[in-house]
């Protein structure tokens, strides 16, 4: 029994070491990817069911690895966040999203909003206001066309600093959305005291709608809260007609999901907007 225990211990430390080595090489590769410009943005449209209009699109980062191909953000953002590499990466995202959407405006002859995700570290950065203002100024994008997605969990910090930071973001004129809403524990009182423009219902609540009564109840409550507070509400991860029907019936007409469009390249986005949908 003793020997067995020891084997397990060795096994455990070995996998831990392997994991540490993997993380270190990922960190090295990420640094190199930043230098070699291996990241790009995809854009996913957000649709208003009432009008059929595309009201915004969300910028989503992808890593084109020279050997491993396209890598999804869930695989590298945690390491980027832990190592601080998220700061230059996040600046790159903000800057490029603004530049590309400004270009889209020029090509289309009209404006449309772009939503950019912030990480926790970016949200805590006292220089964030300057970074947003710099991206707007150098791209020429008007502030009303930029939306900042912060997750509900980022509000669970020291209330004073959260308020201050959100006021700074608000002073740049951009729109503030609380992403993954319903997964955290923010109170309505807190929500009311912050300059929030819109709530995004987390896709876990949309997934099994309306079969899963618990999730469905949460979704309808979020819609009601948003209404009561005069905020817009967006549902993400909408895949089926049934989900769409249910959301619309409960007063949520802003939707995002594979049912309407998957995240796409800038080129495809341009064609999508030009009405050339069946490429
Ligand atoms: P998120 O902000 O909640 O983004 C929505 C995610 O849902 C995206 O995954 C999108 O591709 C996916 N999605 C869209 N429609 C559907 C659908 O109908 N069904 C399903 N199952 N999924 C759908 P993605 O692109 O893998 O991004 C994952 C997360 O990574 C994002 O979640 C966001 O938190 C983070 N992220 C992505 N890009 C950035 C970025 O540039 N900066 C930061 N800080 N975070 C980012
Ligand atoms: Ca988001
Ligand atoms: Ca989300």
């Amino acid at each position: 029994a003793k020997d067995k225990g020891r084997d397990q211990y060795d096994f455990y430390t070995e996998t831990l070491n392997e994991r540490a080595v993997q993380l270190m090489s990922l960190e090295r590769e990420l640094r190199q990817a930043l230098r070699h410009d291996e990241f790009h943005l995809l854009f996913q449209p957000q649709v208003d069911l009432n009008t059929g209009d595309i009201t915004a699109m969300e910028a989503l980062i992808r890593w084109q690895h020279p050997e491993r191909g396209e890598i999804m953000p869930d695989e590298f953002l945690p390491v980027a966040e832990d190592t601080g590499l998220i700061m230059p990466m996040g600046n790159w995202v903000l800057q490029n999203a603004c530049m590309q959407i400004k270009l889209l405006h020029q090509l289309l002859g009209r404006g449309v909003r772009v939503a950019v995700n912030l990480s926790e570290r970016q949200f805590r950065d006292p220089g964030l206001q300057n970074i947003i203002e710099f991206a707007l100024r150098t791209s020429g994008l008007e502030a009303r066309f930029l939306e900042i997605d912060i997750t509900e969990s980022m509000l669970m910090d020291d209330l004073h600093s959260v308020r201050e930071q959100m006021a700074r973001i608000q002073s740049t004129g951009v729109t503030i959305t609380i992403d993954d809403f319903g997964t955290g524990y923010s109170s309505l009182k807190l929500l009311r005291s912050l300059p929030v423009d819109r709530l995004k219902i987390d896709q876990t609540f949309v997934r099994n709608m309306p079969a899963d009564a618990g999730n469905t109840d949460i979704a309808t409550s979020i819609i009601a809260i948003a209404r009561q507070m005069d905020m817009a509400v967006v549902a993400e991860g909408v895949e089926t007609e049934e989900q769409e029907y249910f959301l619309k019936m409960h007063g949520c007409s802003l939707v995002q999901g594979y049912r309407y469009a998957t995240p796409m390249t800038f080129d495809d986005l341009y064609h999508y907007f030009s009405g050339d949908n069946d490429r």
Side-chain angles (χ1 to χ4, degrees):
K2 235 184 186 171
D3 281 351
K4 201 177 165 204
R6 193 170 146 187
D7 281 351
Q8 276 170 355
Y9 173 79
D10 286 346
F11 175 73
Y12 184 63
T13 46
E14 221 163 77
T15 45
L16 266 189
N17 286 337
E18 263 171 40
R19 182 84 192 124
V21 170
Q22 267 175 14
L23 285 180
M24 265 161 57
S25 76
L26 186 57
E27 180 185 351
R28 187 168 30 77
E29 287 186 309
L30 273 177
R31 277 183 206 286
Q32 186 165 334
L34 270 169
R35 279 197 307 269
H36 293 181
D37 221 14
E38 289 169 7
F39 298 102
H40 64 272
L41 296 176
L42 295 183
F43 298 91
Q44 186 180 35
Q46 198 178 84
V47 179
D48 186 340
L49 291 173
N50 291 329
T51 61
D53 289 346
I54 302 162
T55 53
M57 51 258 163
E58 177 165 13
L60 297 159
I61 193 170
R62 297 289 182 269
W63 176 11
Q64 193 63 39
H65 191 282
E67 286 118 44
R68 281 183 281 148
E70 185 172 83
I71 305 185
M72 301 299 280
D74 289 340
E75 281 186 57
F76 62 88
L77 285 179
V79 176
E81 183 78 22
D82 283 351
T83 55
L85 283 172
I86 192 71
M87 298 305 278
M89 196 183 289
N91 284 353
W92 180 90
V93 169
L94 199 56
Q95 191 73 40
N96 276 269
C98 290
M99 284 182 343
Q100 293 188 48
I101 290 320
K102 179 65 188 183
L103 175 62
L104 184 72
H105 291 181
Q106 288 164 338
L107 291 171
L108 297 174
R110 70 190 165 91
V112 56
R113 243 166 344 114
V114 65
V116 172
N117 292 288
L118 278 199
S119 78
E120 196 154 338
R121 240 188 232 250
Q122 284 178 287
F123 181 65
R124 290 220 196 93
D125 176 17
L128 179 61
Q129 185 183 342
N130 288 334
I131 288 170
I132 294 173
E133 282 169 349
F134 184 81
L136 292 171
R137 197 167 58 241
T138 53
S139 64
L141 185 75
E142 291 148 85
R144 67 193 166 101
F145 290 125
L146 178 61
E147 181 178 327
I148 296 290
D149 269 21
I150 60 177
T151 62
E152 188 186 12
S153 60
M154 295 183 204
L155 306 178
M156 303 293 97
D157 202 356
D158 166 56
L159 185 54
H160 179 71
S161 12
V162 168
R163 266 220 194 87
E164 249 183 14
Q165 187 68 310
M166 289 192 69
R168 284 198 216 105
I169 300 176
Q170 189 193 31
S171 75
T172 65
V174 305
T175 303
I176 303 178
T177 299
I178 306 298
D179 202 352
D180 301 347
F181 194 77
T183 56
Y185 300 92
S186 60
S187 67
L188 298 189
K189 195 174 151 209
L190 170 67
L191 200 58
R192 210 185 276 283
S193 74
L194 298 172
V196 175
D197 300 292
R198 33 176 60 208
L199 299 182
K200 223 181 219 188
I201 306 174
D202 190 68
Q203 42 186 289
T204 53
F205 304 123
V206 175
R207 195 164 301 146
N208 300 312
M209 182 185 265
D212 180 327
N215 280 353
T216 306
D217 283 352
I218 295 174
T220 50
S221 309
I222 297 171
I223 297 169
I225 290 166
R227 264 215 188 137
Q228 234 243 317
M229 296 197 181
D230 252 330
M231 296 172 188
V233 60
V234 187
E236 70 178 7
V238 181
E239 294 180 0
T240 68
E241 184 177 0
E242 201 178 21
Q243 294 164 347
E244 173 185 302
Y245 177 79
F246 189 87
L247 286 161
K248 200 172 172 190
M249 201 173 72
H250 283 84
C252 176
S253 66
L254 296 177
V255 288
Q256 190 181 332
Y258 297 161
R259 176 163 170 77
Y260 314 99
T262 51
M264 56 182 103
T265 62
F266 182 86
D267 267 14
D268 287 345
L269 185 73
Y270 172 64
H271 289 287
Y272 184 86
F273 266 96
S274 317
D276 182 11
N277 285 358
D278 40 28
R279 278 169 22 110

